[in-house]
Amino acid sequence: MNANAKYSPLQKSGQQHKMSGADRRTRPAEVPVLKLDALQNTEEEEEHLAIHVKDAAMKIVSGDLSAMSWGSSASTPTKQCFTSKMKDSIQTQVALNNEESLQLSHRAQTQRSPQYSNKPNQHSPDFTCKNTTLTSFNTVQVNSKMRDAEGLTEERKLQAVIEQVMVDQLSRAVISDPEQNAVSVSPTSVPPRYRRTLHHTQVKTRMSLTENILSNKLCFQARILSRCGREACRKLIGFFFTCDQTMTIYEYRNFGKNRWNALPFIARGVYWNRGRPYCLQDISQGAELHFCTDGPHLPQSLRQQPCLSLTVTDVDDGAKGALLAQSRETLHHRSEEEINEQNNLKEIQGAVRDRLRGRAIQTLISLGRDMQKMFDLKADDVQQKELLRQSLMGQLCITTQDFEAVWRIVSRRVEGRANPTDVMRAVTGEMSENRKALFLKVYVKLDPNKTGSIFLSDIEKFYRDKQEADTALDPCLKPDFLAFIREAGKVTKTVSYAEFEDYYEGLSIEIFDDEEYINNLRATWSI
């Protein structure tokens, strides 16, 4: 054949298909061999198999039809019989397959979950106990998630309030500082209407702030010591600046659902107590801060009081330690008189609380009613002191010496402006701040508008008396709460904050464990 002869496309493809691996070019070692011959054999076998299957089917059909007469056409009954037989066989096979599948699925389900093989009796004690345990577990999980969400919300709200306070402090311009009015100007040389001019304005006042000065601060939260619900529920946040030992307190209120604003409550300044200014070490959890009531931002109800007393509820101890190390503030040593007064007061409180155990709730409720009668009489200071002495000696069995010692200690703390409420609180003591925080949360739930009183209908709506059995306290020591509430509000159909607080202050004396007391309040009021 001529070397230049041309091959047809079919001949080229056949020739290339018959080429072996040796005739091809050199193949790398990592590339596998492409076996096209084996692929062709497989396709041919599949074609032959399909032809055999088709022939077998034709033979079966022809064999079935061979029984019919060749001289006549297939009758309709014969076709219907053949069709009905085919349908019957198909239906029988489907039924058998369904039965086998149901049996297999039942066996598989029995093997996977044997505990469900026998349906449990829903009225049995074991089933009821399991359901109760599961429900309580789910409730605990939901409550824990709600507490975490509330804690996160409170933290974000506090951060927003702190930012508002810092902006408010920085926005106080030097030219509008009230201290500018104190510049000494001769009244004869300058007319009264022009007493303050640009030439008489200071460039920097003592109270002017910068961002660097504001950064050295201690933030703390506080509450007002009062038997009025409107005042006791105020949320206060304070700042102590180490640069000049000044202090300011703001109140943050909610306007709407998610809007919180910080309003000035006590102006920034240096405040004194017992002859010395407040220092950084005086800011600690449970410490009391006392202020005069002549401030410009205080409400009218507080201005009528002789003294404003606050209790620090929360403080950042880490930030406090860092500020103490940074400012190198010397440790303030209390005088021997202060130490003796504190020890004497603790001793009196311990003895009184020991005598109250077993009747604390009834006694504190009675003392609160005597206090309200005293205020209704509008007696002067001397008469109030005498009435309070008679009530405390009769209800708490304290001596005259102890009463005079407590009155003297409280008077020195508030610089001679002692209040009967503060004296009674000093004698009986208060619950811890953790308990007080939860108690205030319960009260705000019952009195969301902070009017100072709770409707009986709201108490009966939220109260859960089923949880009273959960506490280990003797029922004889814990009177019926609803009976006490109905007795207190039988005339006005409301219960005051003071009466509500007296009940739970007495319950706090009866219950030693903080966790038990907190769980009792949470379960009773679904907090």
Side-chain angles (χ1 to χ4, degrees):
M1 182 180 294
N2 189 3
N4 296 328
K6 295 183 180 179
Y7 294 97
S8 63
L10 183 60
Q11 291 176 347
K12 284 184 179 181
S13 60
Q15 185 179 2
Q16 290 176 0
H17 182 72
K18 294 180 180 179
M19 289 175 64
S20 62
D23 297 336
R24 297 187 182 97
R25 295 181 181 179
T26 306
R27 175 181 54 83
E30 61 274 9
V31 178
V33 179
L34 184 60
K35 299 181 179 181
L36 298 177
D37 299 336
L39 182 61
Q40 182 183 9
N41 295 336
T42 305
E43 293 177 355
E44 292 177 355
E45 290 176 359
E46 290 178 356
E47 292 178 358
H48 289 303
L49 181 60
I51 293 172
H52 288 308
V53 171
K54 185 176 180 180
D55 294 340
M58 292 297 294
K59 289 180 181 180
I60 293 174
V61 174
S62 62
D64 293 334
L65 296 177
S66 61
M68 293 185 294
S69 174
W70 286 96
S72 63
S73 61
S75 61
T76 304
T78 306
K79 291 182 180 180
Q80 292 178 354
C81 181
F82 176 75
T83 306
S84 62
K85 287 181 180 180
M86 292 293 295
K87 289 183 178 180
D88 293 339
S89 62
I90 293 173
Q91 291 178 358
T92 304
Q93 188 67 24
V94 170
L96 291 175
N97 293 337
N98 289 337
E99 185 178 359
E100 291 179 358
S101 63
L102 288 175
Q103 291 178 359
L104 291 175
S105 62
H106 178 70
R107 291 175 185 175
Q109 184 178 4
T110 306
Q111 292 176 359
R112 284 196 303 267
S113 55
Q115 65 272 21
Y116 296 107
S117 58
N118 295 325
K119 186 177 180 180
N121 186 8
Q122 296 183 359
H123 300 285
S124 63
D126 296 338
F127 185 76
T128 305
C129 182
K130 289 180 180 179
N131 278 345
T132 305
T133 305
L134 183 60
T135 304
S136 61
F137 177 73
N138 293 335
T139 304
V140 169
Q141 281 188 334
V142 171
N143 291 338
S144 62
K145 291 181 180 179
M146 290 178 63
R147 292 170 198 166
D148 295 340
E150 289 178 0
L152 184 60
T153 303
E154 289 293 331
E155 185 177 356
R156 292 178 178 175
K157 179 171 51 179
L158 183 61
Q159 292 297 327
V161 170
I162 292 175
E163 292 179 1
Q164 292 181 14
V165 172
M166 294 298 101
V167 170
D168 180 62
Q169 290 292 324
L170 286 173
S171 63
R172 298 177 183 273
V174 177
I175 196 170
S176 61
D177 196 325
E179 191 178 350
Q180 295 284 2
N181 297 327
V183 178
S184 59
V185 178
S186 176
T188 58
S189 59
V190 181
R193 57 181 299 184
Y194 299 109
R195 191 166 295 175
R196 169 92 182 278
T197 61
L198 183 61
H199 299 285
H200 301 99
T201 302
Q202 297 180 2
V203 177
K204 181 180 180 181
T205 61
R206 184 177 56 87
M207 303 293 291
S208 60
L209 297 175
T210 61
E211 189 174 357
N212 292 332
I213 295 177
L214 289 178
S215 61
N216 298 323
K217 66 182 182 302
L218 177 63
C219 178
F220 61 91
Q221 298 185 53
R223 60 180 178 87
I224 301 176
L225 294 176
S226 175
R227 288 178 63 83
C228 176
R230 182 185 295 273
E231 311 301 339
C233 293
R234 293 181 183 270
K235 295 184 178 182
L236 305 179
I237 180 171
F239 298 88
F240 185 86
F241 302 98
T242 58
C243 58
D244 50 3
Q245 304 295 306
T246 57
M247 184 189 308
T248 181
I249 295 178
Y250 281 71
E251 177 189 4
Y252 55 100
R253 301 179 184 176
N254 59 326
F255 297 89
K257 186 176 181 181
N258 297 321
R259 180 185 171 190
W260 290 82
N261 286 348
L263 304 177
F265 193 76
I266 295 178
R268 178 171 170 262
V270 179
Y271 295 94
W272 295 66
N273 185 38
R274 299 179 69 94
R276 62 174 181 82
Y278 281 112
C279 61
L280 190 61
Q281 299 175 20
D282 294 328
I283 312 298
S284 59
Q285 187 177 15
E288 293 186 6
L289 306 176
H290 305 282
F291 302 92
C292 297
T293 56
D294 55 355
H297 305 296
L298 293 178
Q300 189 64 29
S301 59
L302 292 178
R303 292 184 184 182
Q304 299 175 358
Q305 302 296 329
C307 179
L308 176 63
S309 299
L310 307 180
T311 297
V312 179
T313 59
D314 190 16
V315 64
D316 189 356
D317 293 331
K320 180 180 177 181
L323 290 174
L324 284 173
Q326 182 181 0
S327 61
R328 298 180 181 179
E329 181 178 333
T330 57
L331 182 63
H332 171 67
H333 297 281
R334 292 177 299 173
S335 62
E336 185 178 355
E337 183 182 4
E338 292 180 12
I339 296 175
N340 293 334
E341 287 180 355
Q342 185 175 6
N343 294 335
N344 191 14
L345 188 59
K346 285 184 178 180
E347 183 179 355
I348 295 174
Q349 284 182 0
V352 169
R353 294 174 78 88
D354 289 339
R355 289 195 295 267
L356 280 176
R357 286 190 175 92
R359 59 184 183 93
I361 298 178
Q362 297 88 339
T363 305
L364 291 185
I365 291 173
S366 179
L367 281 175
R369 291 173 180 173
D370 293 344
M371 188 77 62
Q372 187 61 38
K373 293 178 182 178
M374 185 191 310
F375 292 146
D376 293 339
L377 292 175
K378 297 182 180 180
D380 56 8
D381 296 341
V382 178
Q383 292 177 348
Q384 286 184 359
K385 180 179 178 181
E386 182 62 23
L387 293 175
L388 180 63
R389 183 183 64 81
Q390 295 176 3
S391 179
L392 292 180
M393 291 179 64
Q395 299 283 349
L396 304 180
C397 302
I398 65 173
T399 62
T400 306
Q401 292 79 6
D402 291 342
F403 175 78
E404 292 295 338
V406 174
W407 188 277
R408 184 173 58 255
I409 292 172
V410 175
S411 299
R412 288 177 180 175
R413 287 182 175 179
V414 297
E415 298 181 357
R417 299 182 296 271
N419 191 3
T421 304
D422 298 334
V423 176
M424 190 187 75
R425 187 183 298 108
V427 172
T428 59
E430 270 196 318
M431 64 178 76
S432 63
E433 290 303 324
N434 294 333
R435 299 187 181 192
K436 197 71 173 183
L438 186 61
F439 166 77
L440 290 176
K441 187 178 293 186
V442 170
Y443 180 80
V444 171
K445 179 179 180 179
L446 300 176
D447 184 18
N449 296 326
K450 301 178 184 179
T451 59
S453 60
I454 314 171
F455 290 101
L456 289 179
S457 58
D458 292 336
I459 294 178
E460 295 174 351
K461 174 183 177 181
F462 292 104
Y463 185 70
R464 298 175 58 189
D465 55 351
K466 297 180 181 179
Q467 303 295 335
E468 284 191 346
D470 294 344
T471 179
L473 187 64
D474 188 359
C476 298
L477 304 180
K478 182 181 178 181
D480 187 8
F481 177 77
L482 290 180
F484 155 71
I485 290 297
R486 288 164 182 156
E487 176 66 21
K490 62 182 179 181
V491 178
T492 61
K493 302 300 180 182
T494 58
V495 178
S496 65
Y497 170 83
E499 294 171 328
F500 196 74
E501 184 186 32
D502 290 337
Y503 180 90
Y504 278 102
E505 285 286 356
L507 184 63
S508 178
I509 295 177
E510 300 291 353
I511 299 179
F512 294 93
D513 189 19
D514 285 349
E515 185 176 358
E516 181 182 356
Y517 182 85
I518 291 174
N519 291 337
N520 191 342
L521 259 69
R522 290 188 183 279
T524 304
W525 300 104
S526 301
I527 298 296

